[in-house]
Amino acid sequence: MLLMDDLVQTLPMVNEANAMSEELNKKVKFEVALVSPQSRGLTDGRTEVMVTMKQLTTGNSWMWDRNKFINRKYLMQEMYQNYVEGDADWDLPKEKDPFWEPANAEILIGTVHLYLQSLAYLIELEDNLVISDYKGQRERATGKIGIAEVLIKLKDNLPSLTSRATGKIDSEKGGYKRYRTAHIKGDNSGISDDKGSEKDSEKGGYKRYRTAHIKGDNSGISDDKGSEKGRLMVAAIPCTPKWQEIKDDFVEDPKELLKMKQLNILLKIQAAKGLPANISSGFCQFKFYMDKDFTKTSEVKGTINQDYNYSGKFTFKPVTKQAVDYLDQSALHLEVWGRQKETGFGLGKDVAKLTTKELMTRDKSSPVSHKSPAKVKQDSADGQEEEAAEEESYRISAEINTYRKRAERAETKLSKFQKMIEEAQDKNETTLQVSKLLEILSSSHRFRAVADVVVGVEAKKQESLGQKTSQACSIQ
């Protein structure tokens, strides 16, 4: 009920803010955003109502919490009232303008969840993870122009609408058709890319859209990223007390870590690649285990492919059950932050000449503000279910990868063991030195335990026969 109450209160205020922006020609647009607790780095909690402000001439956007928006809305009302009363000084300097935010203000680009389960088995993990915004990584653009309408408009001016896959687009059969690259030549006005910029077709050049999804007349054209904001390259490596990488060791059960006096984890955040084109600089931050404060990487400027080269050392001493459960069951929440360019996505000078009404009409983003609170809430629930399903899919994938690596390491040790036996047989040797066996197996907790049992049983056997304990195992 709290979410519905917040929506009922916020939606009319958002519509009012948009109306004032249009009347004052402020060229910004407000929309309601429902942000899940997971997107805020929380394991539980309720979805929060927030508001985004988008600068329509640059494509830059900012996320405000509900209280900040309400405070700004009252300032907007005061400005609008001065305008209506004919006050010559109704418009304020941008620093005091409630419709303005500095481009270089820090914004949350997106988040990443890194599942740590591999570390609970002393297995390193390295991944290239999707950076997704609060909407989730699979949202697609859904402009007002359907594919059928686009094709009708284009047919008169285009020789063809082609793809690399088949050389043509057949829309008569219905259903989904997917082409990885579509080139459009000629007049393609009214089609926007994923950044909200309408494609300029006056030059008659080819325009590229990475992915086209066609279903009757109910799809927009979007790129293959959806709302993906880039990729984050991360690695986490279990280490010895001397910070040497544990390469061959692993445990069969995370509870075995409780026997260790100390566990070291080396966390690396190498880079963020393919960030949005309007980003001028950025950094990554996170909280590991019981940290109260964020740990930040260095801020990288001047590129959307940012090399952080961060390396951090974290120690569990002693290794407690809480620490083991954290590694086995939790995900590390990483946030990618950035600052935007003054020019945004570089939408062109012609865009700046349009009025706010014209800009709002051509803006392709979903008109959330005009939906009912119940519809917004339902859409949010559907989106969170999809987000949860994707998160579960990634968790399962991470778990499968852990099992695969454990099997690979076990297979490697068994192969070495088999090779030692074969070499002994080639030399007509019937025994193996236990020390050599342990040299191969000692790096694994499980194999070391098995080897100790084998040696102990052999010793007891020899002792019961009244013989001196042997340091060799017989090959049967």
Side-chain angles (χ1 to χ4, degrees):
M1 291 300 295
L2 290 176
L3 175 60
M4 182 62 73
D5 290 342
D6 288 346
L7 279 172
V8 169
Q9 294 175 9
T10 306
L11 278 171
M13 289 190 286
V14 167
N15 289 330
E16 186 180 355
N18 281 329
M20 289 187 288
S21 174
E22 184 176 325
E23 182 71 18
L24 299 176
N25 199 29
K26 286 298 182 176
K27 301 184 179 182
V28 296
K29 181 179 180 180
F30 300 92
E31 287 188 348
V32 168
L34 302 182
V35 184
S36 67
Q38 290 75 23
S39 296
R40 306 196 307 274
L42 305 175
T43 55
D44 53 21
R46 72 183 187 95
T47 296
E48 293 286 348
V49 176
M50 304 183 79
V51 176
T52 60
M53 182 181 78
K54 182 177 181 180
Q55 222 295 330
L56 297 174
T57 59
T58 64
N60 286 339
S61 61
W62 299 263
M63 180 81 75
W64 293 348
D65 62 52
R66 186 167 168 272
N67 289 332
K68 179 174 180 177
F69 168 71
I70 292 174
N71 290 335
R72 286 290 187 100
K73 204 268 289 187
Y74 286 126
L75 295 176
M76 295 173 195
Q77 286 179 314
E78 182 179 0
M79 174 181 281
Y80 179 74
Q81 187 62 34
N82 292 337
Y83 168 79
V84 171
E85 293 175 356
D87 188 341
D89 297 324
W90 68 268
D91 202 5
L92 301 173
K94 62 181 183 180
E95 292 80 7
K96 297 181 179 181
D97 191 339
F99 293 92
W100 180 83
E101 280 284 355
N104 65 351
E106 293 180 358
I107 62 163
L108 179 62
I109 299 173
T111 60
V112 162
H113 287 162
L114 178 67
Y115 283 93
L116 305 173
Q117 188 184 54
S118 288
L119 300 178
Y121 293 88
L122 293 183
I123 296 175
E124 78 286 347
L125 60 90
E126 185 173 2
D127 216 334
N128 190 356
L129 300 171
V130 171
I131 303 169
S132 58
D133 63 9
Y134 71 97
K135 300 176 185 178
Q137 70 191 52
R138 295 296 165 219
E139 182 192 4
R140 295 194 185 100
T142 53
K144 294 181 180 179
I145 302 178
I147 288 293
E149 295 179 84
V150 173
L151 292 177
I152 291 171
K153 288 186 177 182
L154 297 178
K155 278 182 178 178
D156 295 335
N157 300 292
L158 292 182
S160 63
L161 177 60
T162 64
S163 76
R164 288 182 182 174
T166 64
K168 64 179 181 179
I169 288 184
D170 180 8
S171 60
E172 298 177 357
K173 296 180 180 180
Y176 280 101
K177 302 292 182 183
R178 178 169 181 167
Y179 303 105
R180 294 197 176 275
T181 305
H183 292 86
I184 299 175
K185 187 177 183 181
D187 180 12
N188 64 339
S189 59
I191 302 176
S192 301
D193 67 3
D194 65 315
K195 301 177 180 66
S197 58
E198 186 168 340
K199 294 298 183 180
D200 181 5
S201 59
E202 295 179 357
K203 297 180 181 179
Y206 279 97
K207 302 299 179 183
R208 180 174 181 179
Y209 298 91
R210 292 190 177 275
T211 306
H213 294 267
I214 302 175
K215 187 177 182 181
D217 60 351
N218 192 32
S219 294
I221 294 181
S222 64
D223 73 5
D224 61 340
K225 292 183 178 180
S227 63
E228 179 180 318
K229 299 301 181 181
R231 295 268 175 168
L232 188 67
M233 301 169 61
V234 296
I237 305 166
C239 297
T240 67
K242 294 184 179 181
W243 291 101
Q244 296 175 331
E245 181 179 348
I246 300 175
K247 295 182 178 180
D248 297 322
D249 200 359
F250 74 95
V251 295
E252 286 292 325
D253 189 329
K255 293 179 181 178
E256 295 180 44
L257 297 180
L258 296 172
K259 301 176 184 178
M260 301 177 64
K261 295 181 179 179
Q262 178 177 333
L263 174 61
N264 291 338
I265 302 295
L266 180 63
L267 179 65
K268 295 182 178 181
I269 305 176
Q270 292 101 328
K273 302 294 185 180
L275 296 177
N278 68 323
I279 297 300
S280 62
S281 66
F283 62 90
C284 182
Q285 68 177 25
F286 62 92
K287 291 181 181 179
F288 188 84
Y289 192 35
M290 300 179 69
D291 287 351
K292 295 182 179 180
D293 299 321
F294 280 103
T295 298
K296 294 184 179 182
T297 69
S298 59
E299 184 169 347
V300 180
K301 302 179 180 180
T303 178
I304 59 173
N305 297 307
Q306 302 174 355
D307 294 322
Y308 302 131
N309 296 321
Y310 168 84
S311 181
K313 296 180 178 180
F314 300 88
T315 298
F316 297 97
K317 185 178 182 180
V319 182
T320 63
K321 183 180 183 301
Q322 183 181 9
V324 173
D325 289 343
Y326 170 74
L327 296 177
D328 188 36
Q329 302 171 13
S330 302
L332 178 63
H333 178 82
L334 300 113
E335 300 178 348
V336 180
W337 289 75
R339 304 177 194 274
Q340 301 172 104
K341 300 176 183 176
E342 289 288 346
T343 54
F345 289 102
L347 304 184
K349 296 180 180 179
D350 291 339
V351 175
K353 298 177 182 178
L354 299 176
T355 65
T356 302
K357 184 176 182 179
E358 292 171 329
L359 290 167
M360 285 186 177
T361 300
R362 80 178 248 156
D363 185 60
K364 73 165 189 176
S365 54
S366 176
V368 176
S369 307
H370 300 289
K371 297 180 181 179
S372 68
K375 177 61 175 173
V376 173
K377 184 178 180 181
Q378 182 59 50
D379 288 349
S380 173
D382 293 342
Q384 288 181 32
E385 287 181 5
E386 183 177 350
E387 182 181 356
E390 290 175 350
E391 193 73 15
E392 179 67 10
S393 176
Y394 169 61
R395 186 194 65 77
I396 293 174
S397 176
E399 186 172 341
I400 291 174
N401 189 52
T402 298
Y403 280 110
R404 179 181 61 79
K405 289 184 177 181
R406 288 167 58 191
E408 288 175 354
R409 293 191 177 186
E411 184 66 27
T412 298
K413 293 183 180 299
L414 290 174
S415 297
K416 290 180 179 180
F417 186 32
Q418 182 64 33
K419 182 178 179 181
M420 177 180 288
I421 293 175
E422 291 173 355
E423 289 176 350
Q425 289 176 334
D426 289 341
K427 297 177 182 179
N428 294 320
E429 297 176 353
T430 59
T431 60
L432 290 176
Q433 291 295 322
V434 172
S435 60
K436 292 183 178 180
L437 180 63
L438 288 175
E439 185 178 345
I440 297 175
L441 303 182
S442 61
S443 61
S444 169
H445 286 75
R446 180 174 176 82
F447 283 132
R448 181 163 61 247
V450 172
D452 290 343
V453 170
V454 170
V455 173
V457 169
E458 184 66 20
K460 289 292 183 182
K461 180 180 177 180
Q462 298 295 336
E463 184 178 346
S464 66
L465 295 175
Q467 300 176 3
K468 184 178 180 181
T469 302
S470 172
Q471 292 301 312
C473 291
S474 297
I475 301 175
Q476 305 295 329

